[in-house]
Amino acid sequence: MNTEKFLELLKEELELESDLKVSTNLKELDEWDSMVAMLLIGLVSNEFDVNLTGDDLNSITTVQSLIEKIGPDRFE
Amino acid sequence: MLGKRNILITGATSGIGKSLASFLVRDTNICVYGIGRSEEKIQDLLGFENFKFLKFDLFDVGDIENLFKSALDTVKFDGFVHCAGLEETLPISLYTYDRILQIFTLNVFSAIEILRNLSKKKYSVDGASFVLLSSVMGELGQPGKVGYCASKSALLGLTRSLALELTKRKIRVNSISPGIVNTPLTRKLFEQIEEDNRKRIVEMHPAGIGESEDVVYLIDYLLSDHSKWVTGQNIKIDGGYSIQ
């Protein structure tokens, strides 16, 4: 998946106010809560067939770290 | 009980279904018919003369009637236990029609189709007992469980209505609602959540989380004549989880 498209997808599906950059720390967003975390897990599963665990979510901070968890080879 | 009993179990290859099958086969007066997708996980059961494995994918609801006509043509069942089911966590915004259809197909529609066939005099004896595995989550809510809770709740409505439809033939229909039981389904659920959350869930069970055997003994009671006056019920078995 194209990284730019991924950032747009995240913004739209997570219903975020501001644009995302790969350096944006997801956990520091106003909207971040347990429901958004759950939505993110579902999204990643749907788009990449990757199942993030609760422990994965714990260690994720920036969009970049999320990309690492999914697998950088899945992005262009 | 006199004579041989035939019991049909869905989800026989894992968790509660497998424990139930393993428990019932020890009684040589019972013939267990277990439905599952793969015999890989039940090699030990295949050795029993009174265990018949029916390799079948319950997502193929339209083929269930054929399963009865081909593999079960001469069998009259004394009991049926629907243990097959899937559990998932998904917020409402991701529950597309296809997604919700999936969980309902396995958890509910396959059971209804089996019951549609089983309820015929051809495939069931008078006095038979049908048990559906719901969940405490059939009556409790939780974020991310729209599909699971709705499907488990559907089984409760089905239980009550079908119980009344079948009393004339003295067939009983009941649900049980387990709390968290130590099974592969639970282990998969636990993998998805953080450790703190896992601990919290375990702590919310005053008597601890359950083992498959705990649930099996209750199902055994419901399948037996000892429970002949119990019908249309939902029995919670949850270590005290839902009373708090």
Side-chain angles (χ1 to χ4, degrees), chain B residues 155-200:
Chain B
L155 291 176
L156 301 181
L158 156 64
T159 296
R160 292 187 287 264
S161 286
L162 191 59
L164 293 175
E165 268 188 55
L166 301 180
T167 43
K168 190 166 156 204
R169 289 184 56 206
K170 297 196 168 23
I171 294 178
R172 299 169 297 102
V173 187
N174 292 289
S175 296
I176 67 170
S177 285
I180 295 260
V181 180
N182 185 15
T183 63
L185 184 142
T186 295
R187 289 193 280 278
K188 181 169 162 262
L189 161 70
F190 273 10
E191 266 166 34
Q192 294 165 8
I193 60 187
E194 312 164 277
E195 193 173 334
D196 289 342
N197 237 339
R198 286 196 284 267
K199 277 205 194 115
R200 204 177 48 86

Side-chain angles (χ1 to χ4, degrees), chain B residues 61-199:
Chain B
V61 178
D63 286 339
I64 288 174
E65 185 173 329
N66 279 335
L67 177 68
F68 273 85
K69 287 184 173 156
S70 60
L72 304 171
D73 195 51
T74 54
V75 186
K76 269 188 176 234
F77 286 99
D78 301 78
F80 164 57
V81 189
H82 183 57
C83 301
L86 71 95
E87 195 276 344
E88 64 190 6
T89 302
L90 220 54
I92 182 71
S93 55
L94 294 181
Y95 260 117
T96 56
Y97 175 59
D98 283 343
R99 216 45 212 265
I100 195 81
L101 184 60
Q102 202 184 35
I103 191 166
F104 263 80
T105 297
L106 183 61
N107 291 11
V108 185
F109 301 154
S110 69
I112 294 179
E113 179 61 7
I114 288 176
L115 287 163
R116 183 178 75 79
N117 285 277
L118 209 49
S119 296
K120 298 184 183 174
K121 290 178 184 168
K122 182 170 196 268
Y123 296 117
S124 57
V125 304
D126 285 4
S129 174
F130 301 157
V131 182
L132 302 169
L133 255 73
S134 176
S135 162
V136 283
M137 298 313 292
E139 288 181 310
L140 302 172
Q142 201 173 94
K145 302 292 179 192
V146 164
Y148 186 68
C149 290
S151 68
K152 288 304 187 181
S153 188
L155 291 176
L156 301 181
L158 156 64
T159 296
R160 292 187 287 264
S161 286
L162 191 59
L164 293 175
E165 268 188 55
L166 301 180
T167 43
K168 190 166 156 204
R169 289 184 56 206
K170 297 196 168 23
I171 294 178
R172 299 169 297 102
V173 187
N174 292 289
S175 296
I176 67 170
S177 285
I180 295 260
V181 180
N182 185 15
T183 63
L185 184 142
T186 295
R187 289 193 280 278
K188 181 169 162 262
L189 161 70
F190 273 10
E191 266 166 34
Q192 294 165 8
I193 60 187
E194 312 164 277
E195 193 173 334
D196 289 342
N197 237 339
R198 286 196 284 267
K199 277 205 194 115

Side-chain angles (χ1 to χ4, degrees), chain A residues 13-69:
Chain A
E13 294 293 327
L14 302 183
E15 296 184 303
L16 305 173
E17 275 277 319
S18 30
D19 290 338
L20 289 175
K21 299 200 274 267
V22 288
S23 57
T24 309
N25 186 326
L26 293 165
K27 306 260 180 83
E28 284 170 8
L29 292 168
D30 283 338
E31 296 98 334
W32 183 261
D33 66 9
S34 58
M35 288 304 301
V36 171
M38 188 191 295
L39 194 36
L40 183 62
I41 291 176
L43 263 178
V44 168
S45 172
N46 283 350
E47 294 292 328
F48 301 97
D49 211 16
V50 163
N51 294 322
L52 295 175
T53 64
D55 292 332
D56 285 334
L57 251 296
N58 252 340
S59 57
I60 284 169
T61 50
T62 58
V63 178
Q64 183 58 39
S65 66
L66 171 62
I67 288 173
E68 308 277 320
K69 279 281 181 220

Side-chain angles (χ1 to χ4, degrees), chain B residues 41-81:
Chain B
K41 291 179 273 183
I42 49 160
Q43 291 300 313
D44 47 336
L45 277 175
L46 297 176
F48 284 85
E49 210 205 349
N50 55 335
F51 178 79
K52 315 267 184 243
F53 181 61
L54 300 167
K55 189 169 176 155
F56 186 84
D57 187 342
L58 289 172
F59 279 103
D60 296 329
V61 178
D63 286 339
I64 288 174
E65 185 173 329
N66 279 335
L67 177 68
F68 273 85
K69 287 184 173 156
S70 60
L72 304 171
D73 195 51
T74 54
V75 186
K76 269 188 176 234
F77 286 99
D78 301 78
F80 164 57
V81 189

